[in-house]
Amino acid sequence: MMKKRLIVACLAAACSTAWAQQGGFSDPATTPAAGGFVGPTASLTTVEQARSLRDDTFVVLEGRIEQRLGRDKYLFRDGSGTITVDVDDRRWNGQRVTPQNRVRIEGEVDKDWNSVEIDVKTITKL
């Protein structure tokens, strides 16, 4: 009989410890609402640096889109130079951007035989 009480007491203590570890306060300001990476973001890259990077390298650029070159092609400029960026219609997310607006572009370097451009994944008006 004494062994049964000891076993029951040990199980109760173990269960209460497990339940206590599951609960607690979760601050929405510090807890992400959805999954994904939380940590340092990629550092800014200049156009000059992007030109020398390998194909498919992820870059973040800040500057201005100066003009449309073709259907999805635009001329982007920062303090170090210009580069062609490829922005699909769905990437604009309803934003209207003029040459006077600064933008942040996140994308990948796309190198061909004789050209370098940025395949834009995200564009944000600053």
Side-chain angles (χ1 to χ4, degrees):
M1 185 72 162
M2 186 67 143
K3 287 184 181 180
K4 288 183 182 178
R5 286 185 186 172
L6 183 60
I7 292 172
V8 170
C10 288
L11 287 174
C15 289
S16 66
T17 302
W19 288 326
Q21 290 175 352
Q22 291 176 2
F25 177 72
S26 181
D27 185 353
T30 60
T31 305
F37 177 72
V38 177
T41 59
S43 60
L44 287 178
T45 306
T46 65
V47 167
E48 183 179 5
Q49 291 169 330
R51 289 186 173 284
S52 65
L53 295 174
R54 294 173 45 159
D55 190 37
D56 296 328
T57 301
F58 183 79
V59 294
V60 178
L61 304 166
E62 286 186 5
R64 300 180 196 289
I65 295 178
E66 292 190 333
Q67 70 183 57
R68 182 181 215 149
L69 302 174
R71 186 179 184 295
D72 291 338
K73 309 284 183 178
Y74 300 86
L75 183 67
F76 175 85
R77 178 183 298 276
D78 71 2
S80 70
T82 61
I83 195 166
T84 301
V85 294
D86 185 348
V87 186
D88 293 337
D89 288 338
R90 70 179 184 268
R91 305 294 184 194
W92 292 105
N93 291 325
Q95 301 174 97
R96 296 189 62 93
V97 175
T98 69
Q100 290 73 38
N101 300 125
R102 285 186 46 81
V103 295
R104 174 180 291 217
I105 289 177
E106 299 177 26
E108 294 178 351
V109 175
D110 186 14
K111 285 193 171 184
D112 288 328
W113 289 102
N114 58 357
S115 69
V116 178
E117 67 181 40
I118 305 299
D119 183 17
V120 176
K121 305 298 182 194
T122 305
I123 184 166
T124 307
K125 190 173 172 181
L126 300 176

